[in-house]
Amino acid sequence: MSKATIMAVVNQKGGTGKTTTCENLGIGLANEGKRVLLVDTDPQASLTIALGHPRPDELPVTLTDRMAKVIQDQPVEPKEGILSHEEGVDLIPANITLSGMEVALVNAMSRETILRQVLEPLKNQYDFILLDCMPSLGMLTVNALAASDQVLIPVQANYLSAKGLEQLLQTVNKVKRQINPKLKVEGILLTMVDFRTNFAKEISTLIRDTYGSKLKVFEADIPRSVRAAEISAEGVSIFKHDPGGKVADAYRSLTKEVLTNAEKKRKHQLDQLR
Ligand code: ADP
Ligand code: MG
């Protein structure tokens, strides 16, 4: 059986749509019949909350415990700390204890690859593992990049920081060179696009012109809509909350793009084996 594709959803800026994208791309992939694990790697636990756990600090087992066991070389039960969501995805939740883990990592052996070791035994059970990253380029984000095959970068169209993106790409390249040679930027995703303004359209064009030759910019732009902002309190995805809306449409298109690219890659790998 094939192993999971691991994708980190990363941007060191907060509020760019990382968590919303993780949730809805993940559930979008599950709706297409894929086995999906979502991993909350942010001590703020927004993804955990959005998936129906409003008080993450009361969860008995989280990502922190799995990482601690890897650091201490202790065995982990296969299902330990994995929650299942009604829309067909699994979740390794986070809570505030993960911020202590970020500190503990500094002195751990193989500190950049603890998360990779956490995910290794789970790769056979899933088609996609999506990592929701925190808004920084610290140890937890480096761990996410070291564990991943692909990076998806949500960018809030109106607040593109070219400098921020440069810095992020430098970190990705450094992890690629030093720790994880297979790491690739899958694409930039424009989020919270306000299609009513010409400005948003200009930004969208500008980003495609500037980065389109070097990096893929997903064709699906995610529109700004209050419907998307509502879901974190509902514990369900946009597909359940507003299935006929434009945000659901956009995340469906993104899901198709991700699947098409994965299929292309698989064919390419098969061709190389022949
Ligand atoms: P990040 O994880 O990068 O911090 P979030 O996904 O949490 O970003 O999104 C930041 C805020 O914007 C949240 O309050 C979220 O509900 C809201 N939001 C996300 N996507 C959209 C969208 N397409 N339209 C409107 N609001 C959105
Ligand atoms: Mg977030």
Side-chain angles (χ1 to χ4, degrees):
M1 206 186 291
S2 66
K3 285 195 168 191
T5 299
I6 305 185
M7 181 192 275
V9 180
V10 185
N11 191 327
Q12 74 273 36
K13 188 174 177 334
T16 66
K18 291 180 287 296
T19 300
T20 307
T21 297
C22 240
E23 174 178 10
N24 293 295
L25 174 58
I27 292 177
L29 289 164
N31 288 343
E32 295 294 324
K34 300 298 173 189
R35 300 163 303 162
V36 178
L37 173 67
L38 303 179
V39 184
D40 195 345
T41 76
D42 182 353
Q44 297 254 328
S46 318
L47 180 65
T48 302
I49 295 167
L51 287 171
H53 305 279
R55 287 176 297 280
D57 294 347
E58 292 172 12
L59 290 169
V61 188
T62 63
L63 178 61
T64 311
D65 302 281
R66 281 197 174 244
M67 291 182 78
K69 287 198 169 168
V70 167
I71 290 173
Q72 292 155 15
D73 232 350
Q74 286 170 5
V76 182
E77 293 295 315
K79 279 272 154 198
E80 192 171 321
I82 298 186
L83 304 172
S84 49
H85 184 266
E86 58 175 283
E87 291 179 77
V89 295
D90 283 351
L91 168 72
I92 299 184
N95 63 21
I96 194 66
T97 60
L98 196 57
S99 58
M101 179 51 63
E102 172 130 58
V103 179
L105 278 174
V106 174
N107 290 314
M109 202 188 285
S110 315
R111 59 185 185 172
E112 289 92 0
T113 60
I114 303 298
L115 184 59
R116 181 197 283 178
Q117 295 175 67
V118 166
L119 299 179
E120 192 55 50
L122 298 168
K123 280 171 82 170
N124 284 326
Q125 298 160 44
Y126 297 98
D127 300 307
F128 287 92
I129 300 179
L130 270 48
L131 313 179
D132 187 26
C133 292
M134 65 188 293
S136 88
L137 295 174
M139 280 306 290
L140 284 167
T141 301
V142 168
N143 262 263
L145 293 173
S148 295
D149 304 293
Q150 307 179 342
V151 181
L152 185 152
I153 306 173
V155 168
Q156 195 179 345
N158 298 13
Y159 294 94
L160 174 73
S161 147
K163 224 183 188 172
L165 194 57
E166 252 350 278
Q167 196 186 17
L168 171 54
L169 294 174
Q170 269 172 23
T171 303
V172 170
N173 281 327
K174 195 169 169 192
V175 170
K176 184 182 167 81
R177 275 196 312 274
Q178 298 187 6
I179 311 172
N180 181 14
K182 66 175 192 276
L183 185 64
K184 282 216 174 66
V185 176
E186 177 71 5
I188 294 178
L189 175 70
L190 299 186
T191 60
M192 299 182 226
V193 179
D194 194 343
F195 285 103
R196 291 166 305 180
T197 67
N198 281 328
F199 180 59
K201 283 175 216 146
E202 279 166 28
I203 295 262
S204 164
T205 310
L206 178 73
I207 291 178
R208 287 195 163 78
D209 289 350
T210 313
Y211 295 101
S213 60
K214 280 182 285 178
L215 292 174
K216 181 185 155 65
V217 181
F218 285 104
E219 274 167 42
D221 289 344
I222 310 297
R224 174 180 291 284
S225 156
V226 63
R227 301 304 238 154
E230 284 163 1
I231 60 170
S232 54
E234 303 281 330
V236 296
S237 75
I238 196 71
F239 305 115
K240 203 146 218 188
H241 182 64
D242 185 27
K246 57 189 181 176
V247 175
D249 277 347
Y251 275 112
R252 246 178 245 121
S253 303
L254 173 66
T255 303
K256 297 242 160 73
E257 275 185 70
V258 167
L259 284 173
T260 305
N261 295 344
E263 187 55 27
K264 269 190 208 146
K265 244 169 245 153
R266 207 183 60 86
K267 284 217 177 94
H268 182 72
Q269 280 164 356
L270 283 180
D271 285 346
Q272 287 192 325
L273 287 177
R274 283 208 186 96

